[in-house]
Amino acid sequence: MNNWWKKATVYQVYPRSFKDTNNDGIGDIRGIIEKLDYLEKLGIDLLWITPMYVSPQKDNGYDISDYYQIDPLYGTMADFEELVQEAEKRKIAIMMDMVLNHTSTEHQWFKEARKSRNNPYRDFYFWQDPKPDGTPPNNWKSRFGGTAWKYDEATGQSYLHSFDESQADLNWENEAVRKECGKILAFWAKKGIKGVRLDVVNLLSKTPGLPDDPIVGPTGDGRTHNVDGPKIHQYLHELNQQVFGPMQLVTVGEMSSSTPEECVLYSQEEREELSMIFSFYHMKADYQDNAKWTNEPFSLAKLKQSQSLLQQKMHEGNGWNALFYSNHDQPRALSRFGDDRIYRQESAKMLAITLFGQQGTTYIYQGEEIGMTNAYFSTIEEYRDPESLNAYRELLASGVSDREALIILQLKSRDNARTPMQWDDSKYQGFSAVEPWLVVNNNQISAEKELKDPNSIFYTYQRLIAYRKMFPVFTEGDYRLLDEEHSELFCYERTCNQEKLLVISNFTRKNVAYQLPSDYKTAEILESNYGRKQVEAAFQLKPYESLMIYQK
Ligand code: TEU
Ligand code: CA
């Protein structure tokens, strides 16, 4: 199999929160270089780094104003080049994050575009007249709340922003836009990067004319006309022909709200679009009727259903998944789906085992390998993320009490995942010598401790990363959900020729009775978060117990 990345594990770094070396409270490229030995020890193959290009930092770098420079906040281009080389020495390839759906309104193109209606850059973006009554051109919503349109005084028209108003959507119908984006990708590929993560890439093609979304309710926010749009597959195929293919880039597309069927199309090898996709249905296991900003208990049934459906469809359709439970936009999976107090170690390992047994390329988000937890901020002042701040305002405006709004933020805010990486027990957890940009989690968790303890979460990930390279069943095997109706267990089986893999996970604080399927009697336990050496035909699973069993 020449697709080496199918057996690979990707580690995601949110540079702002990873390691600060010049003591300005913000992580930097030299900090990443400093920690490469740590990452090598973990055993990862690719390092995905979220945007470090020049940016006003309204959305922590997802608002880019110059795609060809490193933001001085993070260092210099020389630092970046050194990072690529130093990583390569440790057999780690760099995956850059590319934001091609929108630019910052501080980007030169937008500054030109807003000057006049006939500026050559006008058509790089979407401009429309407000409705005669002064309301926005259509009913699309920003993913960060409110209308997706911002009125611009100078030319009397509004521009589309699917995210913050400082992030203007690029018009991919315009060939010049597509050419420029291809150039940007080629520039970074020549710097020696081996992969790209494409931000909100399923939004690039919009229904021409940008009609109103006909759906009423939380999903009627424009998605009908801006997700998986009419020309999206054509655009991605073009990029593949121009850059991804010739430059041999591993690509992963962020596909929030795309159906499993679409995900197959994006990632089928023969179609030459992307290597793999992130799907987000399983991240809605604690949403209420698809609405994020709600206080809704996590549903194991939803998690099982969404992951299993995707596993099956992608296997049948020959697509390829990017497997993840955490990233910089999600609260910590451990706090969300596990127990981050009494059973922190157990449930962190349980989640790792449950994810790593599935089919796809595995992703670890910084801190996940040491069991970092949600921030649990108790005041609104501690939050930095514009999405959270907007949500807080909207919750209050809708009549939710301040107390309840803060509880919802504790559960759902993106800042939960963005607290500084906890390296040791010193004042700012070894992240920085000065007060960091976001409050550190003052608990006892640290990488230093994890490395000293042979039974730690860190070493569980290290072994899981290695198994995926050793046994073909991880990459090739089909997927079957077992005990589908069980409300406490997530069990599945993978099969490939003579090999079988069984994963059993208890998602509760209780002991749960379990009966081993008869064909696993002589099987080997690859991984157990309770140090179990053998299993009987019938036994009790302990709280958050998880087993990965291999049979050949
Ligand atoms: O995120 C896209 C996205 O839609 C979400 O993950 C979003 O942050 C969340 O669902 C809102 O509830 C990508 C980036 O990962 C994110 O950090 C950026 O803010 C966003 O695009 C805009 O570039
Ligand atoms: Ca710094």
Side-chain angles (χ1 to χ4, degrees), residues 228-251:
D228 306 328
K231 294 201 183 135
I232 187 62
H233 294 290
Q234 176 200 320
Y235 296 159
L236 292 177
H237 183 66
E238 273 173 27
L239 285 178
N240 187 300
Q241 301 299 292
Q242 282 166 26
V243 202
F244 306 155
M247 304 281 210
Q248 299 196 346
L249 292 175
V250 183
T251 54

Side-chain angles (χ1 to χ4, degrees), residues 3-12 36 38-48 84 87-95 192-195 250 276 356 360-364 461-462 464-469:
N3 290 332
W4 61 274
W5 42 266
K6 289 195 171 177
K7 290 181 186 289
T9 293
V10 185
Y11 186 92
Q12 182 191 355
L36 284 172
Y38 169 84
L39 296 173
E40 183 185 24
K41 181 159 193 180
L42 185 57
I44 56 129
D45 306 277
L46 275 153
L47 196 63
W48 154 26
V84 175
E88 202 177 305
K89 283 186 197 159
R90 294 162 178 86
K91 299 205 168 50
I92 297 173
I94 302 294
M95 172 184 264
I193 66 165
K194 295 283 185 302
V250 183
M276 58 185 136
F356 272 61
T361 296
T362 35
Y363 284 67
I364 300 171
Y461 275 102
Q462 191 189 56
L464 288 168
I465 293 170
Y467 298 145
R468 299 180 50 84
K469 297 196 167 91

Side-chain angles (χ1 to χ4, degrees), residues 26-42:
I26 293 171
D28 41 56
I29 296 176
R30 302 223 66 86
I32 306 175
I33 297 175
E34 207 181 290
K35 296 298 179 187
L36 284 172
D37 288 339
Y38 169 84
L39 296 173
E40 183 185 24
K41 181 159 193 180
L42 185 57

Side-chain angles (χ1 to χ4, degrees), residues 69-94:
Q69 303 282 341
I70 294 291
D71 197 303
L73 200 61
Y74 293 119
T76 63
M77 190 61 92
D79 291 334
F80 179 76
E81 285 161 359
E82 191 179 323
L83 169 65
V84 175
Q85 284 169 7
E86 287 299 318
E88 202 177 305
K89 283 186 197 159
R90 294 162 178 86
K91 299 205 168 50
I92 297 173
I94 302 294

Side-chain angles (χ1 to χ4, degrees), residues 19-29 73-74 431-432:
K19 169 74 193 170
D20 176 22
T21 56
N22 65 343
N23 295 324
D24 60 356
I26 293 171
D28 41 56
I29 296 176
L73 200 61
Y74 293 119
F431 166 72
S432 175

Side-chain angles (χ1 to χ4, degrees), residues 59 62 102 144 197 199-200 254 292 328-329 387 414:
D59 188 22
Y62 283 94
H102 44 264
F144 293 168
R197 178 263 188 189
D199 189 58
V200 293
E254 192 193 20
K292 168 171 172 168
H328 65 296
D329 291 334
E387 188 203 31
R414 306 196 295 182

